[in-house]
Amino acid sequence: MGFKQPATENPYSKDGFRKYPTLRDHPLKTAAQWLLGRVADDGYGHLWRVGDQLYDLSEFIKIHPGGRQWLEVTRGMDITEAFEYSHLSPHVRTVLAKYHVRPAVGPRNSPYTFEADGFYMTLKKRVHQHLSTKVSRQEKEAAHKRITIVQDRILVTFFTLLIATAWTQSYVVAMLAGTALMLNINCSHNFYHKKDNWRMYCWDLGLLSSYEWRITHAISHHGYTNTLWDFELSDFEPYVDFRVYSKSLAQRYLIPLVILTVSYLFFFIEAFKRIVTIAIGQQRLRPENLLPLVQLLIIWFVGCPFVQAVKLWLVIHGTSSYLFAIVGVIAAHHHPDMYHAGDGPFQYGSDWGLGQLDAVRDRNDVDGVLLAELTMYGNHVLHHLFPTLDHGVLDIIRPIYQQTCRDFKLPAEFAQLPSRYNQWDLSLGVLQQLARTQPRLSVRSKSD
């Protein structure tokens, strides 16, 4: 029962991507490798592509309102998706035009479109108009304050439990600290999507890297959800493989169950890969990478013997890793109803927003409670459509989204609340999707 791999010819050509991504199956799956593959496939040198035009943003990097990092890592790439979902205001096109170099040669590698009268661009225009004319500055600030209060309280809780772990030397308290750490990390995900801010580094408290996840999650996963370009689809292939193709019985049933029982290793694997990429010069050591070691020192300095401090530290991060992995897997992306690489054309067309609706769902037992939404990836569809918006603003724009769905005659499930999916549906759906080897049989038509 060895692992089967997709055939050497591109079995995903019907998905709309012009070529199989370079380095996608490299054994070292990291943010650096993903970037190298994208740059190799796009090949725009020192330029950036948006739509059918090329721009030189080299001088703009240092004044980019979102921070240098977003542009530094995407040099040489087609950033159309990231550009569109990161900017609501049409004013950014005026700024972009100042750096125009020439038209791009050839079509984009991506199958997604952003037609002016298409679903996503229509929705984006309406959302921008609503937020700029109908929602006061005070309302926006209040929405932002709601999520920062949640983040800050979870952060204080984690450090309180960290110190309590050192005082008590209790593994039970260490597991509680690990649970708080997972909640802290998941909540901070709302902040690394945005311009540079200190709360984004709460992500780095858990052996992860906000720098790497801005690439693998914010750019890759959000831009190309469940497609070949989604790093989060490929990270643990061929062991956990959500693609749709002929798989062995081990891949379909046995290995996924084994992997789910060892998810406590996920953080440590990610840390190891980071050490390797730093050692071979693919990225540099960043100050925030040392935050987990600071936690170990805190436990030790409070008075816990060093060996015991290491054990407790491992329990904290193992617990956090396990819970993070489980929450992430069932966060409304993997179910046979949803698009996955190998399914062929998107159900509702190539519009990027419609592609998101094909690959993401909301959950009726998470949405409506802010703490649950922030820590369990709730309000998921709107977050995917507008990842840089404050999570607290998403409920404000929901009526605009629902009306746009109705105007484009999308299935009623997209415009209604609550969602018909819950955590149990998606937990079972993960196993069903891993076992799925055949594309979805029918394409659902748009209807009233």
Side-chain angles (χ1 to χ4, degrees):
M1 293 195 301
F3 292 124
K4 294 182 180 179
Q5 293 287 354
T8 54
E9 66 273 13
N10 183 5
Y12 305 101
S13 58
K14 293 181 180 179
D15 289 10
F17 289 87
R18 293 201 297 126
K19 64 175 295 187
Y20 193 86
T22 298
L23 298 181
R24 187 183 187 280
D25 298 325
H26 192 281
L28 181 61
K29 296 180 185 296
T30 64
Q33 291 294 114
W34 188 85
L35 287 176
L36 287 173
R38 277 297 307 274
V39 170
D41 289 339
D42 289 348
Y44 299 117
H46 66 287
L47 304 177
W48 290 257
R49 178 170 180 165
V50 178
D52 292 327
Q53 305 297 323
L54 294 178
Y55 302 87
D56 187 350
L57 303 175
S58 302
E59 291 301 313
F60 184 63
I61 287 178
K62 57 180 177 288
I63 59 172
H64 180 232
R68 303 174 58 96
Q69 206 173 83
W70 297 108
L71 295 179
E72 287 176 340
V73 301
T74 55
R75 186 192 296 270
M77 286 171 44
D78 180 344
I79 60 169
T80 303
E81 284 77 11
F83 174 82
E84 295 295 354
Y85 65 64
S86 296
H87 305 99
L88 277 182
S89 173
H91 173 67
V92 296
R93 298 187 186 279
T94 303
V95 176
L96 184 65
K98 299 177 181 178
Y99 301 94
H100 181 259
V101 175
R102 62 177 181 272
V105 176
R108 301 198 311 123
N109 285 327
S110 169
Y112 291 119
T113 61
F114 293 88
E115 300 296 336
D117 59 350
F119 171 79
Y120 186 67
M121 298 303 282
T122 300
L123 174 62
K124 187 166 79 162
K125 179 180 178 180
R126 292 177 177 180
V127 167
H128 174 257
Q129 183 178 22
H130 184 73
L131 291 178
S132 59
T133 62
K134 304 294 185 182
V135 183
S136 69
R137 178 178 178 181
Q138 290 75 18
E139 288 178 280
K140 296 174 187 175
E141 290 176 347
H144 178 67
K145 186 176 181 179
R146 284 196 295 271
I147 66 172
T148 59
I149 288 175
V150 172
Q151 177 72 73
D152 296 350
R153 287 177 176 174
I154 296 174
L155 182 62
V156 170
T157 300
F158 165 64
F159 276 106
T160 300
L161 288 169
L162 182 71
I163 294 172
T165 298
W167 280 341
T168 64
Q169 298 184 32
S170 165
Y171 292 110
V172 173
V173 178
M175 293 175 69
L176 291 175
T179 302
L181 178 58
M182 179 276 292
L183 297 174
N184 167 79
I185 293 168
N186 283 357
C187 190
S188 70
H189 139 268
N190 296 279
F191 295 96
Y192 72 61
H193 277 288
K194 303 166 70 64
K195 64 182 180 181
D196 291 350
N197 63 92
W198 71 264
R199 289 182 179 87
M200 63 185 272
Y201 297 116
C202 291
W203 187 267
D204 299 84
L205 291 172
L207 291 175
L208 301 176
S209 164
S210 57
Y211 166 80
E212 293 174 351
W213 281 70
R214 275 184 159 185
I215 297 166
T216 61
H217 183 81
I219 297 175
S220 170
H221 170 69
H222 271 264
Y224 314 99
T225 310
N226 285 358
T227 73
L228 293 176
W229 283 2
D230 184 349
F231 177 88
E232 293 182 13
L233 202 69
S234 65
D235 195 12
F236 285 102
E237 293 173 7
Y239 307 105
V240 177
D241 197 337
F242 288 102
R243 292 174 296 176
V244 181
Y245 70 98
S246 180
K247 307 170 191 174
S248 69
L249 290 176
Q251 280 177 292
R252 297 177 67 190
Y253 301 110
L254 178 60
I255 297 299
L257 294 176
V258 173
I259 293 297
L260 289 175
T261 64
V262 296
S263 296
Y264 61 88
L265 295 175
F266 175 68
F267 279 11
F268 302 102
I269 293 171
E270 291 299 300
F272 174 76
K273 291 193 293 184
R274 185 175 315 115
I275 292 170
V276 171
T277 56
I278 292 171
I280 64 179
Q282 287 189 340
Q283 67 168 309
R284 62 180 176 82
L285 178 67
R286 300 173 185 278
E288 62 268 23
N289 297 153
L290 302 177
L291 288 174
L293 296 180
V294 172
Q295 300 162 34
L296 175 59
L297 293 177
I298 289 174
I299 298 173
W300 183 29
F301 289 166
V302 167
C304 185
F306 184 73
V307 173
Q308 181 67 4
V310 171
K311 292 179 180 178
L312 292 168
W313 182 85
L314 290 173
V315 170
I316 290 172
H317 286 276
T319 301
S320 184
S321 174
Y322 185 84
L323 295 174
F324 176 90
I326 298 301
V327 170
V329 168
I330 61 174
H333 287 301
H334 302 306
H335 188 285
D337 290 348
M338 303 177 201
Y339 167 85
H340 287 79
D343 268 328
F346 304 112
Q347 289 199 58
Y348 310 112
S350 58
D351 179 275
W352 181 80
L354 296 178
Q356 293 296 303
L357 297 188
D358 200 6
V360 184
R361 295 294 187 276
D362 284 320
R363 288 157 293 167
N364 59 38
D365 51 357
V366 172
D367 292 342
V369 180
L370 185 59
L371 175 62
E373 288 184 2
L374 293 175
T375 58
M376 305 288 285
Y377 304 109
N379 223 336
H380 211 58
V381 170
L382 281 175
H383 170 64
H384 258 259
L385 292 170
F386 301 102
T388 61
L389 282 183
D390 269 335
H391 209 85
V393 172
L394 298 182
D395 283 333
I396 296 175
I397 67 171
R398 181 169 291 280
I400 310 300
Y401 160 74
Q402 291 173 316
Q403 184 59 52
T404 306
C405 287
R406 289 191 288 267
D407 291 344
F408 277 80
K409 302 186 184 305
L410 296 178
E413 68 177 279
F414 292 119
Q416 68 186 13
L417 285 176
S419 169
R420 67 184 181 89
Y421 297 88
N422 58 38
Q423 294 281 247
W424 170 250
D425 296 328
L426 293 170
S427 298
L428 181 60
V430 166
L431 299 178
Q432 293 172 330
Q433 176 59 36
L434 287 168
R436 188 159 70 97
T437 61
Q438 297 298 319
R440 295 176 296 188
L441 294 178
S442 62
V443 175
R444 296 168 62 186
S445 62
K446 298 180 183 179
S447 65
D448 296 314

mmCIF file of all heavy atoms in Angstrom, residues 328-342:
data_model
loop_
_atom_site.group_PDB
_atom_site.id
_atom_site.type_symbol
_atom_site.label_atom_id
_atom_site.label_comp_id
_atom_site.label_asym_id
_atom_site.label_seq_id
_atom_site.Cartn_x
_atom_site.Cartn_y
_atom_site.Cartn_z
ATOM 1 N N GLY A 328 -7.369 23.947 12.728
ATOM 2 C CA GLY A 328 -7.064 24.368 11.368
ATOM 3 C C GLY A 328 -7.633 23.437 10.314
ATOM 4 O O GLY A 328 -8.153 23.892 9.284
ATOM 5 N N VAL A 329 -7.577 22.144 10.559
ATOM 6 C CA VAL A 329 -8.049 21.175 9.569
ATOM 7 C C VAL A 329 -9.559 21.245 9.385
ATOM 8 O O VAL A 329 -10.069 21.073 8.271
ATOM 9 C CB VAL A 329 -7.611 19.746 9.970
ATOM 10 C CG1 VAL A 329 -8.338 18.706 9.134
ATOM 11 C CG2 VAL A 329 -6.105 19.579 9.801
ATOM 12 N N ILE A 330 -10.289 21.528 10.479
ATOM 13 C CA ILE A 330 -11.749 21.548 10.364
ATOM 14 C C ILE A 330 -12.286 22.978 10.262
ATOM 15 O O ILE A 330 -13.452 23.237 10.550
ATOM 16 C CB ILE A 330 -12.411 20.823 11.553
ATOM 17 C CG1 ILE A 330 -12.075 21.500 12.884
ATOM 18 C CG2 ILE A 330 -12.017 19.366 11.574
ATOM 19 C CD1 ILE A 330 -12.825 20.902 14.063
ATOM 20 N N ALA A 331 -11.452 23.899 9.787
ATOM 21 C CA ALA A 331 -11.855 25.312 9.708
ATOM 22 C C ALA A 331 -12.553 25.637 8.401
ATOM 23 O O ALA A 331 -12.283 26.651 7.773
ATOM 24 C CB ALA A 331 -10.643 26.208 9.907
ATOM 25 N N ALA A 332 -13.437 24.771 7.972
ATOM 26 C CA ALA A 332 -14.338 25.075 6.852
ATOM 27 C C ALA A 332 -13.665 25.139 5.498
ATOM 28 O O ALA A 332 -14.031 25.952 4.652
ATOM 29 C CB ALA A 332 -15.088 26.387 7.130
ATOM 30 N N HIS A 333 -12.691 24.266 5.267
ATOM 31 C CA HIS A 333 -12.066 24.199 3.948
ATOM 32 C C HIS A 333 -12.156 22.823 3.301
ATOM 33 O O HIS A 333 -12.058 22.725 2.080
ATOM 34 C CB HIS A 333 -10.585 24.585 4.037
ATOM 35 C CG HIS A 333 -10.351 26.036 4.252
ATOM 36 N ND1 HIS A 333 -10.802 26.991 3.374
ATOM 37 C CD2 HIS A 333 -9.746 26.695 5.248
ATOM 38 C CE1 HIS A 333 -10.468 28.186 3.825
ATOM 39 N NE2 HIS A 333 -9.839 28.030 4.959
ATOM 40 N N HIS A 334 -12.294 21.782 4.100
ATOM 41 C CA HIS A 334 -12.171 20.438 3.554
ATOM 42 C C HIS A 334 -13.444 19.636 3.781
ATOM 43 O O HIS A 334 -13.743 19.198 4.891
ATOM 44 C CB HIS A 334 -10.960 19.732 4.150
ATOM 45 C CG HIS A 334 -9.683 20.465 3.902
ATOM 46 N ND1 HIS A 334 -9.272 20.828 2.635
ATOM 47 C CD2 HIS A 334 -8.739 20.949 4.757
ATOM 48 C CE1 HIS A 334 -8.125 21.477 2.716
ATOM 49 N NE2 HIS A 334 -7.789 21.567 3.989
ATOM 50 N N HIS A 335 -14.168 19.456 2.685
ATOM 51 C CA HIS A 335 -15.430 18.721 2.666
ATOM 52 C C HIS A 335 -15.682 18.395 1.195
ATOM 53 O O HIS A 335 -15.332 19.194 0.314
ATOM 54 C CB HIS A 335 -16.550 19.593 3.251
ATOM 55 C CG HIS A 335 -17.839 18.870 3.438
ATOM 56 N ND1 HIS A 335 -18.684 18.550 2.381
ATOM 57 C CD2 HIS A 335 -18.458 18.416 4.567
ATOM 58 C CE1 HIS A 335 -19.743 17.928 2.847
ATOM 59 N NE2 HIS A 335 -19.643 17.825 4.161
ATOM 60 N N PRO A 336 -16.271 17.267 0.897
ATOM 61 C CA PRO A 336 -16.508 16.926 -0.512
ATOM 62 C C PRO A 336 -17.347 17.945 -1.272
ATOM 63 O O PRO A 336 -17.298 17.986 -2.507
ATOM 64 C CB PRO A 336 -17.240 15.570 -0.414
ATOM 65 C CG PRO A 336 -16.771 14.983 0.866
ATOM 66 C CD PRO A 336 -16.612 16.145 1.802
ATOM 67 N N ASP A 337 -18.112 18.779 -0.566
ATOM 68 C CA ASP A 337 -18.897 19.808 -1.252
ATOM 69 C C ASP A 337 -18.021 20.933 -1.800
ATOM 70 O O ASP A 337 -18.461 21.694 -2.660
ATOM 71 C CB ASP A 337 -19.919 20.429 -0.295
ATOM 72 C CG ASP A 337 -21.035 19.465 0.070
ATOM 73 O OD1 ASP A 337 -21.142 18.409 -0.583
ATOM 74 O OD2 ASP A 337 -21.794 19.779 1.007
ATOM 75 N N MET A 338 -16.806 21.051 -1.284
ATOM 76 C CA MET A 338 -15.957 22.186 -1.614
ATOM 77 C C MET A 338 -14.956 21.827 -2.703
ATOM 78 O O MET A 338 -14.497 20.682 -2.809
ATOM 79 C CB MET A 338 -15.217 22.665 -0.371
ATOM 80 C CG MET A 338 -16.133 23.034 0.782
ATOM 81 S SD MET A 338 -15.206 23.504 2.250
ATOM 82 C CE MET A 338 -16.451 23.239 3.517
ATOM 83 N N TYR A 339 -14.594 22.836 -3.481
ATOM 84 C CA TYR A 339 -13.601 22.645 -4.536
ATOM 85 C C TYR A 339 -12.253 22.251 -3.946
ATOM 86 O O TYR A 339 -11.796 22.826 -2.947
ATOM 87 C CB TYR A 339 -13.438 23.932 -5.355
ATOM 88 C CG TYR A 339 -12.218 23.894 -6.241
ATOM 89 C CD1 TYR A 339 -12.280 23.306 -7.500
ATOM 90 C CD2 TYR A 339 -10.997 24.387 -5.791
ATOM 91 C CE1 TYR A 339 -11.154 23.228 -8.298
ATOM 92 C CE2 TYR A 339 -9.862 24.316 -6.581
ATOM 93 C CZ TYR A 339 -9.945 23.732 -7.839
ATOM 94 O OH TYR A 339 -8.825 23.652 -8.612
ATOM 95 N N HIS A 340 -11.600 21.284 -4.593
ATOM 96 C CA HIS A 340 -10.215 20.913 -4.303
ATOM 97 C C HIS A 340 -9.498 20.651 -5.627
ATOM 98 O O HIS A 340 -10.130 20.256 -6.613
ATOM 99 C CB HIS A 340 -10.137 19.661 -3.425
ATOM 100 C CG HIS A 340 -10.538 19.890 -2.007
ATOM 101 N ND1 HIS A 340 -11.866 19.968 -1.614
ATOM 102 C CD2 HIS A 340 -9.794 20.075 -0.871
ATOM 103 C CE1 HIS A 340 -11.921 20.179 -0.314
ATOM 104 N NE2 HIS A 340 -10.678 20.246 0.166
ATOM 105 N N ALA A 341 -8.206 20.863 -5.637
ATOM 106 C CA ALA A 341 -7.410 20.606 -6.839
ATOM 107 C C ALA A 341 -7.717 19.214 -7.376
ATOM 108 O O ALA A 341 -7.655 18.231 -6.650
ATOM 109 C CB ALA A 341 -5.924 20.738 -6.524
ATOM 110 N N GLY A 342 -8.036 19.143 -8.659
ATOM 111 C CA GLY A 342 -8.413 17.892 -9.293
ATOM 112 C C GLY A 342 -9.898 17.810 -9.598
ATOM 113 O O GLY A 342 -10.340 16.895 -10.294
#
